[in-house]
Amino acid sequence: MLLGILKESAPAETRVALLPASLKSLIAQGAAIQVEAGAGEAAGASDQAYIDVGAAIISDRASILANADVLPVVNAPTTADQAQLKPGAAVIGFLRPLDAPAALLPAIQRGVTLFSMELVPRITRAQSMDALSSMATVAGYKAVIAAADRLPRMFPMLMTAAGTVPPAKVFVIGAGVAGLQAIATARRLGGVVEAYDVRAAAGEQVRSLGAKFLDVDLGGINTEGGGGYAAELTEEALDRGRDLIVKTAAHSDVIVTTALVPGRPAPRLIRRAAVEAMRPGSVLVDLAAPAGGNCELTKPGVTQEINGVILLAPLNLPAEVPADASNLYSRNVVNFLGLIVKKGELSVDLADEVLAGACVAHQGKPVNPRVAKLLEPQPVAGSQ
Ligand code: NAD
């Protein structure tokens, strides 16, 4: 079995799917590993480091694409790359199967088996493969660091001979994996932190990190959508959150917003009025930007200044922490590979619930029902 590691081609991508330290167990099982030259460089892994663990460095990307039986990636391969893949090969990565399913058609039609890290079920057995949580952890940390860097104030309270410097006030919206890491990071820097989430269960986790949980009376509606995720709320329930956000924004130096509902556009929680309520020099980091953003003024990928407030809308913060983001992702991938590589050979058994959950396509057909539905031909307007 040949396992290939490509240099990621997406703009500004710095991560690599597998670092040298993760390859040892695969090589011990007899797998051959080819790494595209320079694949790990931006993440701190030199070609020599791959050679030292027994991998081969190859400059010819096309030859890796054509010969690899297993291809772990960070981002989905481009159309041109997919057209070169070996039929029957397996690709594992953040393939965005629900956001951009049609982009995967060339690989599906070639009979490539696609596994999406976004679809790995969030069950206890698969926790070590939960790459979404790994990347959310990195993004939550980096969002606070980016805000601290832009803020014209310091985070900690300081008592000096020249007087007292008040602590930065940080407001975190959405206390899931990214939000909790943002809270922890802001607290470590000495900020005073408040947080809001629609899931009541988040309250205890927020308080355990030394932050204040802001409760909103949502009228007793169900806010849990299953699997620990939030449900999509009515406009009326969203409005109650929006009111709290305007009030809290007025005394916040930094807002980090992370609210998401799986498979839906990010809830629009932050209206223009909330941004206008913030003091000039304040910083708002919209981590929901890849899903459209929590703030109605967000332009995904663009940094704006609005009435002196800096609005950051990063699309790929984990790529700004490439070594640790790759390290965590690499471990998630190698744990996933443990389910499909047996004794050094590729062996896919979709009876395994983790594999069935993560599988996008197998043997030329979409396996995931949501992806299959999205790929159904759309009726032509006006036809019967
Ligand atoms: P996510 O990225 O989908 O959402 C981020 C946060 O936004 C969530 O906490 C959600 O409740 C919140 N949110 C959604 N709509 C909101 C709104 N209108 N207003 C305010 N907040 C809103 O979620 P996530 O961070 O990936 O995970 C959420 C939870 O899932 C975790 O905290 C954890 O309890 C659970 N989880 C379980 C596992 C596992 O069992 N393996 C793994 C990861 C996460």
Side-chain angles (χ1 to χ4, degrees), residues 285-354:
V285 187
D286 193 344
L287 276 191
N294 289 143
C295 177
E296 67 180 7
L297 305 180
T298 288
K299 292 183 185 155
V302 177
T303 297
Q304 302 176 75
E305 191 177 326
I306 299 159
N307 294 339
V309 175
I310 305 287
L311 169 51
L312 303 172
L315 290 173
N316 189 359
L317 270 188
E320 293 181 31
V321 195
D324 276 333
S326 300
N327 191 9
L328 293 172
Y329 185 64
S330 183
R331 289 189 217 156
N332 293 140
V333 167
V334 88
N335 289 329
F336 186 88
L337 291 177
L339 302 180
I340 58 167
V341 178
K342 308 279 179 201
K343 297 189 181 139
E345 292 302 324
L346 176 63
S347 152
V348 175
D349 175 7
L350 293 184
D352 181 311
E353 66 175 322
V354 176

Side-chain angles (χ1 to χ4, degrees), residues 122 127 130 133 175-177 197-199 228-230 238 258-260 269:
R122 284 180 142 180
Q127 260 178 359
D130 184 355
S133 287
V177 180
D197 197 296
V198 284
R199 292 179 302 110
Y229 290 112
L238 286 174
T258 73
L260 290 173
L269 295 168

Side-chain angles (χ1 to χ4, degrees), residues 201-285:
E204 199 183 313
Q205 292 167 316
V206 166
R207 284 187 284 268
S208 75
L209 291 170
K212 181 176 172 191
F213 187 67
L214 303 177
D215 253 322
V216 174
D217 179 7
L218 295 174
I221 57 165
N222 177 34
T223 56
E224 303 257 351
Y229 290 112
E232 194 173 24
L233 301 188
T234 60
E235 274 302 306
E236 191 198 340
L238 286 174
D239 272 342
R240 298 196 187 190
R242 289 176 182 131
D243 290 345
L244 168 94
I245 289 167
V246 174
K247 272 189 222 131
T248 313
H251 62 250
S252 300
D253 298 303
V254 170
I255 298 181
V256 176
T257 183
T258 73
L260 290 173
V261 177
R264 306 293 309 149
R268 284 287 158 94
L269 295 168
I270 306 177
R271 291 265 161 88
R272 174 179 282 277
V275 179
E276 285 174 355
M278 295 178 81
R279 286 187 296 247
S282 308
V283 183
L284 167 54
V285 187

